[in-house]
Amino acid sequence: MIKEIGHSLREFKKPSIITPVLVTFEVLFECLIPAVIADLVNKIQRDYDLNEILIYGAVLIVMAGLSLVFGVSSGAMCASASSGLAKNLRKDMFYKIQSYSFENIDKFYVSSLITRMTTDVTNVQMAYMLIIRLVVRSPLMLIFSFIMAFVMGGSLAWVFVALVPLLGVSLTIIVVKTVPLFHRAFRKYDNLNSSIQENVKAAREVKSYVREDYEQKKFGAASHDLRKDFQRAERILAFNHPIMQFCMYVLMCVVLSFGSYMVIDSAGLDINVGDLSSMLTYGFMILNSLMMLSMAFTMIAMAGESGRRIVEVLTEESTLKNPENPVTDVKDGSVDFDGVSFKYSAAAEKNALSNIDLHIKSGETIGIIGGTGSSKSTLVQLISRLYDATEGTVKVGGVDVRQYDMEVLRNSVAMVLQKNVLFSGTIAENLRWGDPNATDEQLREACRMACADEFIERFPEKYDTYIEQGGANVSGGQKQRLCIARALLKRPKILILDDSTSAVDTHTDARIRKAFREYIPETTKIIIAQRTASVEDADRIIVMDGGRINDVGTHAELLKRNAIYREVYTSQNKEGHDLED
């Protein structure tokens, strides 16, 4: 895990190395200052000399200044390194997720990926900041303080040796008790984020069914469950400070009692007042270092779970990969399914598609009809290799899709999915997802074919009209037409419309199909639809049922011989004119 996360340091390795060096000098000067003060107090006791005091004062100011400079510099370097690591981790995770297949994304879920890129990365950032600064500073402070305590106090320093293990054991118990609670709490973040995401996406349904109270209770329960784990952990961590204070006061009592006795008994020969004051200071440094270490280890342990979750994303290999010598040219828009079966996971008991044999000529218009769950969308997703067939082969242009460079294949297959998505930006920027170099005239031509020009021209800003995230400020039909225009700009060899005209009226639907026939006759067009009117003029219509091809034929042929198609047509056209003919 450490090695994998370490790869994301890259250009921030230098500040990561410099920070501990600067911290070392900061601690060194901090630990020397009490010794210099002790020496000053002893000299004042023996002989008052103003010039000598001024020299000591100047030395202390310089030492304090140097400690400050090293401290500020180490803080700045530490901030640069930790924030840089977080930036690179988010970038690496985002790039990795972009390479995922749908199968990989289905494994993690969207809400979990969001949590990993936000909360988990922040935890790792905080832990790394503590590691290169506090986890270096505290042990050094502990070691230097012990050394200086024995130098200044002699045998009295053994008090620290006896007290430190007691504090160390207590703080270790606190860490051991809290870490599992934090691990469990962070795993619950996914469920909480999933609830938020689901509720926001389904806001219209929630309001339509007046389920606000139910969703509030559901979210409240998840939030309360998360709070309980954090509360338990914080209750245990609350012992940290009182234990520290107890040890500090015990230390003060012991050092002052035995130290005062030694000063008086030896008449200042074994230990004097200045040494005794420095002993107290070093004692506070030792205890404070231990407390800081315990807090750091708690945070690091929390971040360990976050780091593991991040590494899961970084090391996940896409189930879809380019071959060693990929084909980089798609000859035409022909599509062949040869004995294709498919299931979404190896553990699935039932195939989503079974024994598909289908051959589509380049330039054909193919309609696909079927009930909900008949795997219509699954069928077309295999064409652009969003998933790989479990059995059999899918060919485009006479070549197995697994032999193509995926970018080349997907640039040749334009898909307008069932769930249309527009991104925040202008209409022109959204359209240029299809072709970044498209001219304004090409944009207008694609929009005319998709019947989108008529409403775009009514907007005051026309093609510069700003689209809100998800296309929230345009209607469903407008969104569908913009997505069709965007797909047309790819000038694909295969155009797939997955129920993507369901929100437009039948007249507009017919105009779009007419434009397809006239302007892109050489493009293979595959239209998934719920309405028979959307596919009745197709060259052939495929009837899907239960993941299998039930029948293939023209509109007239299927009306005569196929019960499923006839039932769908009759339910949508109650008079059934064609049946009478």
Side-chain angles (χ1 to χ4, degrees):
M1 179 182 71
I2 293 172
K3 182 179 178 182
E4 190 65 38
I5 291 176
H7 290 157
S8 296
L9 272 174
R10 293 194 291 278
E11 70 270 29
F12 297 99
K13 284 182 181 178
K14 185 177 178 180
S16 298
I17 295 170
I18 293 174
T19 298
V21 175
L22 294 172
V23 167
T24 302
F25 284 105
E26 177 193 8
V27 171
L28 181 62
F29 282 109
E30 278 190 33
C31 289
L32 287 174
I33 287 173
V36 174
I37 293 174
D39 194 37
L40 174 61
V41 171
N42 293 335
K43 285 188 178 296
I44 291 173
Q45 273 191 308
R46 291 194 299 268
D47 184 24
Y48 180 84
D49 186 341
L50 182 60
N51 290 329
E52 199 169 13
I53 292 174
L54 291 175
I55 292 171
Y56 269 96
V59 169
L60 287 171
I61 290 172
V62 170
M63 293 176 71
L66 288 172
S67 178
L68 176 65
V69 169
F70 284 122
V72 171
S73 300
S74 67
M77 286 290 179
C78 179
S80 173
S82 59
S83 60
L85 173 64
K87 182 206 77 164
N88 284 348
L89 276 176
R90 290 191 182 98
K91 176 183 175 182
D92 293 345
M93 290 174 73
F94 185 77
Y95 283 19
K96 189 70 175 182
I97 291 168
Q98 293 297 303
S99 73
Y100 281 178
S101 66
F102 283 4
E103 184 177 342
N104 295 115
I105 294 173
D106 292 343
K107 174 182 175 181
F108 285 105
Y109 301 109
V110 174
S111 59
S112 177
L113 290 173
I114 292 171
T115 305
R116 292 169 198 243
M117 290 188 68
T118 52
T119 303
D120 288 332
V121 169
T122 300
N123 288 338
V124 170
Q125 177 184 350
M126 295 298 296
Y128 188 67
M129 182 174 64
L130 293 174
I131 288 169
I132 61 174
R133 191 159 190 238
L134 191 60
V135 175
V136 173
R137 175 187 167 84
S138 294
L140 285 175
M141 182 70 77
L142 199 64
I143 293 168
F144 288 167
S145 296
F146 262 121
I147 292 171
M148 293 305 297
F150 275 101
V151 169
M152 303 300 295
S155 59
L156 187 60
W158 286 104
V159 174
F160 302 148
V161 177
L163 191 61
V164 164
L166 173 64
L167 180 60
V169 169
S170 301
L171 296 179
T172 300
I173 292 172
I174 290 173
V175 171
V176 170
K177 291 284 187 182
T178 54
V179 166
L181 292 173
F182 282 120
H183 283 187
R184 191 167 64 193
F186 281 115
R187 284 195 294 271
K188 291 178 181 178
Y189 266 124
D190 286 349
N191 295 332
L192 191 68
N193 281 352
S194 181
S195 176
I196 295 169
Q197 182 190 25
E198 184 180 55
N199 193 265
V200 171
K201 286 179 68 176
R204 289 178 175 84
E205 286 76 8
V206 171
K207 293 184 180 299
S208 298
Y209 287 92
V210 197
R211 297 287 283 177
E212 289 92 342
D213 289 343
Y214 171 79
E215 290 296 328
Q216 287 170 6
K217 289 176 182 177
K218 179 179 168 184
F219 176 82
S223 181
H224 178 69
D225 194 28
L226 184 63
R227 179 195 64 82
K228 285 197 297 185
D229 282 343
F230 273 114
Q231 187 176 31
R232 291 192 193 102
E234 293 296 339
R235 282 176 178 171
I236 297 172
L237 283 176
F239 284 99
N240 219 340
H241 189 68
I243 291 173
M244 167 71 180
Q245 291 290 88
F246 172 76
C247 291
M248 190 177 293
Y249 289 130
V250 169
L251 180 71
M252 287 177 62
C253 292
V254 173
V255 170
L256 285 173
S257 299
F258 284 96
S260 299
Y261 174 77
M262 290 174 67
V263 170
I264 295 170
D265 187 58
S266 67
L269 295 177
D270 292 337
I271 186 172
N272 50 36
V273 175
D275 297 334
L276 184 61
S277 66
S278 69
M279 287 290 290
L280 286 173
T281 304
Y282 287 127
F284 295 151
M285 287 180 173
I286 289 169
L287 295 178
N288 189 58
S289 297
L290 284 171
M291 189 173 75
M292 290 298 103
L293 269 179
S294 73
M295 293 174 61
F297 282 131
T298 301
M299 184 63 209
I300 291 167
M302 287 165 51
E305 176 69 13
S306 293
R308 183 189 63 78
R309 286 157 54 86
I310 289 170
V311 169
E312 280 182 353
V313 175
L314 293 175
T315 56
E316 177 77 8
E317 292 297 328
S318 175
T319 56
L320 302 179
K321 293 182 179 180
N322 275 334
E324 289 186 9
N325 298 300
V327 177
T328 56
D329 180 57
V330 179
K331 184 177 67 175
D332 56 43
S334 62
V335 180
D336 297 285
F337 287 80
D338 295 316
V340 171
S341 294
F342 171 77
K343 54 185 177 182
Y344 282 98
S345 71
E349 296 180 2
K350 187 179 178 182
N351 285 335
L353 291 170
S354 299
N355 303 318
I356 302 296
D357 283 292
L358 177 65
H359 304 282
I360 301 170
K361 296 176 183 178
S362 183
E364 270 194 297
T365 298
I366 301 295
I368 302 178
I369 287 283
T372 302
S374 60
S375 298
K376 303 183 296 296
S377 297
T378 304
L379 180 73
V380 297
Q381 286 177 3
L382 299 181
I383 297 173
S384 58
R385 209 186 167 201
L386 298 180
Y387 293 95
D388 271 342
T390 307
E391 298 175 17
T393 58
V394 180
K395 296 178 182 178
V396 171
V399 177
D400 190 331
V401 292
R402 287 169 288 200
Q403 298 303 313
Y404 281 112
D405 177 87
M406 281 192 287
E407 186 175 337
V408 169
L409 174 65
R410 290 173 182 171
N411 275 330
S412 299
V413 181
M415 291 189 68
V416 183
L417 298 172
Q418 193 170 9
K419 294 181 179 179
N420 300 283
V421 176
L422 293 175
F423 299 88
S424 53
T426 65
I427 288 177
E429 288 170 346
N430 269 276
L431 293 173
R432 285 195 171 98
W433 272 63
D435 180 3
N437 301 314
T439 64
D440 291 343
E441 181 54 39
Q442 288 172 326
L443 295 186
R444 286 191 287 271
E445 182 184 2
C447 289
R448 280 195 295 270
M449 292 172 62
C451 296
D453 59 324
E454 56 191 36
F455 70 82
I456 294 174
E457 293 298 332
R458 290 199 296 267
F459 291 142
E461 301 295 326
K462 295 183 172 51
Y463 287 84
D464 292 324
T465 301
Y466 190 82
I467 299 293
E468 302 291 344
Q469 185 178 15
N473 59 333
V474 292
S475 69
Q478 290 171 339
K479 189 190 299 184
Q480 286 187 336
R481 284 178 277 175
L482 287 172
C483 289
I484 292 171
R486 181 173 64 188
L488 291 172
L489 281 166
K490 291 182 73 172
R491 293 178 289 279
K493 289 185 169 62
I494 301 171
L495 174 63
I496 299 171
L497 304 180
D498 186 355
D499 200 20
S500 48
T501 57
S502 58
V504 302
D505 59 85
T506 54
H507 176 64
T508 303
D509 187 10
R511 287 170 57 201
I512 292 172
R513 286 183 282 114
K514 182 174 181 290
F516 289 169
R517 287 195 301 272
E518 293 177 354
Y519 294 103
I520 51 171
E522 72 287 349
T523 298
T524 302
K525 297 164 282 291
I526 300 174
I527 303 170
I528 298 175
Q530 298 294 332
R531 296 187 301 222
T532 57
S534 297
V535 297
E536 62 184 17
D537 57 352
D539 296 317
R540 287 183 293 161
I541 301 169
I542 300 167
V543 180
M544 297 289 297
D545 183 35
R548 297 174 182 270
I549 294 179
N550 180 270
D551 203 349
V552 180
T554 64
H555 171 69
E557 291 170 347
L558 292 175
L559 277 177
K560 291 177 181 178
R561 71 172 185 242
N562 189 272
I564 295 175
Y565 188 81
R566 190 163 52 244
E567 182 182 350
V568 173
Y569 179 83
T570 304
S571 65
Q572 295 174 3
N573 303 270
K574 293 183 180 179
E575 296 179 6
H577 296 299
D578 287 6
L579 284 175
E580 293 177 4
D581 294 341

